[in-house]
Amino acid sequence: MNLISFFKRPNTSAPVARERLKLMLAHERAAFGASDVIALLQDEIVAVIAKHFPVEPEAIKIRMDRGDAISTLEVEVEIPTPLCVNISLNAPKPELKAVNSEADAPRLASSGPKPDSLGPALANAAKRERVDLHIEADG
Amino acid sequence: MAKVLVVTSGKGGVGKTTSTAALGVALAKGGKNVVLVDFDVGLRNLDLVMGAERRVVYDLINVVQGDAKLAQALIRDKRIQTLSLLPASQTRDKDALTDEGVARVIAELKEKFDWIICDSPAGIERGATLAMRHADVAIVVTNPEVSSVRDSDRIIGLLDSKTEKAERGEHMDKHLLLTRYDAARAERGEMLKVEDVLEILSIPLLGIIPESEEVLRASNVGAPVTLSDTPSAPARAYLDAARRLNGEALEMTVPSDRKGLFGKLFGRRAA
């Protein structure tokens, strides 16, 4: 060891370990249902939505991504299309952005047709509107 | 009110048994009635680390199956009156432990002791989930190393789902015990820092146990570090952690045995 190598900054592997861990655990937490906050959230969200719509628990998918400054909670709710009118009527709050993500699905607005006028064909479970809620929170 | 504490980690070899023994001694020294329960059936080691390996007659499985009374299986520590040990079986099959049997033994222990400390086996299988099942408080033992942190994350998930407390919808009290920590290496960027591990695992810190020769010496002779009247750096860290378990708010430090400028300059090379 000479004088230069003594004063030189040694190789720093810890930041690499930190980043690798964060990346991997973000995936694993999603895969294993994460800390059970997610499972709990799912139950509670299902309960709240079930108060207003007849949805199956499986129609609600919840995902959490942990980031450096911001973590995102993604809630995806599938509701039979005719019922979506009710969602559009209850305009989303500013901090929640609701995205109607299936472009080919009928666009429904408060001025749109009434649920019962859509006919029984649209009530078919195959035609569903996806409502994605992205909630961003400081990590 | 008796408290059931599980010492767990997922990964093996990170210091669960060492920490169980050191914390048990520290709590008992503080006047509490403490029992250490070894859940590592087939690979029992807590008796060895406690220096009681030649006094084992009956074990946890004997008591669970009703072959022995609890009082017959408990080994009272000869050095500290308020400390007892309930050893695991070395020969029996781990399937001999039943959920109901363990529940009954824990309930009986709760009548006699202030602290019931369960030393969990490594892994995430039945043995580990049985050890944590009845816990009120959990200590997650973690080394500042990627595989240990990853496994701790898994165990935290289990603590939040597989314990009775979690199933009742209550919050499971979890604490991080960072062991084998080398502050100098962490400072040089060679080891994950305390803050890194805390940020990743997001559970409160109970203590930081510095890497030390004293830990191996203690297990060599079957006398936990906290037994000594002149506590070494890891012993001081465990004594502080035990006081925090009792609800004291102490400043978090990394105890060190190095003294003065000379030690700081030349101690580094050895690290």
Side-chain angles (χ1 to χ4, degrees):
Chain A
M1 182 192 280
N2 61 30
L3 204 62
I4 293 169
S5 70
F6 183 81
F7 285 110
K8 209 177 69 184
R9 189 115 188 101
N11 67 323
T12 55
S13 54
V16 181
R18 184 167 165 269
E19 290 317 307
R20 287 177 61 215
L21 266 172
K22 280 180 143 184
L23 201 69
M24 187 193 51
L25 289 178
H27 284 282
E28 283 194 353
R29 281 171 181 156
F32 292 122
S35 61
D36 279 31
V37 174
I38 301 295
L40 206 67
L41 262 178
Q42 177 138 14
D43 287 348
E44 289 177 9
I45 289 174
V46 170
V48 168
I49 292 177
K51 267 200 242 172
H52 304 282
F53 309 112
V55 290
E56 298 294 320
E58 304 84 60
I60 300 174
K61 298 190 184 76
I62 299 177
R63 233 171 73 85
M64 188 159 185
D65 270 320
R66 286 180 203 224
D68 270 344
I70 271 181
S71 296
T72 60
L73 179 70
E74 202 179 304
V75 183
E76 187 186 316
V77 190
E78 282 187 1
I79 299 167
T81 304
L83 295 168
C84 282
V85 172
N86 294 330
I87 283 207
S88 305
L89 283 172
N90 300 332
K93 293 204 166 59
E95 67 269 21
L96 308 176
K97 52 178 200 263
V99 187
N100 292 333
S101 55
E102 277 173 24
D104 56 342
R107 264 345 252 181
L108 297 172
S110 50
S111 58
K114 291 271 185 294
D116 48 355
S117 68
L118 284 170
L122 277 180
N124 187 335
K127 288 232 172 187
R128 285 172 184 270
E129 182 106 339
R130 251 178 57 196
V131 178
D132 288 342
L133 299 180
H134 290 276
I135 303 166
E136 297 200 338
D138 288 331
Chain B
M1 175 76 184
K3 272 204 169 172
V4 182
L5 166 71
V6 62
V7 179
T8 186
S9 71
K11 191 178 184 305
V14 295
K16 281 183 296 298
T17 302
T18 304
S19 299
T20 301
L23 287 172
V25 167
L27 286 168
K29 262 184 157 180
K32 302 284 183 185
N33 272 313
V34 182
V35 61
L36 311 180
V37 187
D38 192 347
F39 272 84
D40 205 348
V41 175
L43 292 170
R44 78 161 177 233
N45 279 315
L46 189 55
D47 54 334
L48 207 50
V49 169
M50 289 299 297
E53 69 276 12
R54 290 193 296 176
R55 300 175 60 205
V56 176
V57 183
Y58 294 108
D59 56 52
L60 176 61
I61 288 185
N62 293 140
V63 181
V64 164
Q65 297 193 329
D67 299 333
K69 289 208 176 85
L70 183 60
Q72 290 175 295
L74 285 174
I75 303 168
R76 180 172 290 188
D77 194 275
K78 287 187 169 165
R79 302 154 296 198
I80 299 173
Q81 289 298 305
T82 53
L83 181 63
S84 297
L85 167 70
L86 182 55
S89 169
Q90 181 69 346
T91 51
R92 302 294 286 277
D93 186 354
K94 62 181 185 309
D95 293 334
L97 279 185
T98 59
D99 198 5
E100 308 77 57
V102 170
R104 205 182 62 240
V105 173
I106 297 277
E108 205 174 331
L109 288 170
K110 275 175 135 175
E111 289 168 15
K112 295 186 165 131
F113 297 94
D114 302 315
W115 282 99
I116 295 127
I117 309 184
C118 306
D119 184 18
S120 171
I124 52 171
E125 305 305 320
R126 191 156 166 272
T129 50
L130 264 180
M132 68 171 65
R133 184 103 191 106
H134 308 280
D136 301 304
V137 191
I139 292 180
V140 180
V141 183
T142 308
N143 287 170
E145 184 268 325
V146 285
S147 57
S148 174
V149 176
R150 177 196 215 173
D151 292 358
S152 293
D153 192 75
R154 249 344 259 296
I155 279 292
I156 291 171
L158 288 186
L159 286 166
D160 284 335
S161 58
K162 301 275 183 183
T163 52
E164 277 190 330
K165 222 176 168 187
E167 284 174 5
R168 286 197 302 265
E170 291 171 35
H171 173 74
M172 183 72 198
D173 216 359
K174 302 172 291 287
H175 302 272
L176 178 73
L177 188 66
L178 196 59
T179 54
R180 306 200 68 169
Y181 191 69
D182 188 326
R185 294 194 74 182
E187 202 44 57
R188 291 202 299 271
E190 297 170 17
M191 182 182 269
L192 286 169
K193 287 187 180 179
V194 179
E195 306 87 77
D196 294 336
V197 182
L198 283 177
E199 189 200 340
I200 292 167
L201 295 178
S202 341
I203 58 170
L205 183 63
L206 182 71
I208 307 161
I209 314 300
E211 171 83 78
S212 166
E213 295 167 6
E214 289 301 317
V215 175
L216 178 59
R217 203 191 68 79
S219 81
N220 282 345
V221 299
V225 284
T226 40
L227 263 181
S228 169
D229 291 329
T230 53
S232 55
R236 294 201 298 280
Y238 277 120
L239 289 164
D240 279 0
R243 287 173 63 188
R244 288 189 193 102
L245 274 178
N246 276 325
E248 282 187 59
L250 299 173
E251 198 198 337
M252 190 64 69
T253 57
V254 188
S256 168
D257 277 335
R258 291 181 196 140
K259 290 181 189 84
L261 186 63
F262 187 86
K264 276 187 183 158
L265 278 176
F266 294 95
R268 271 192 162 198
R269 294 228 187 132

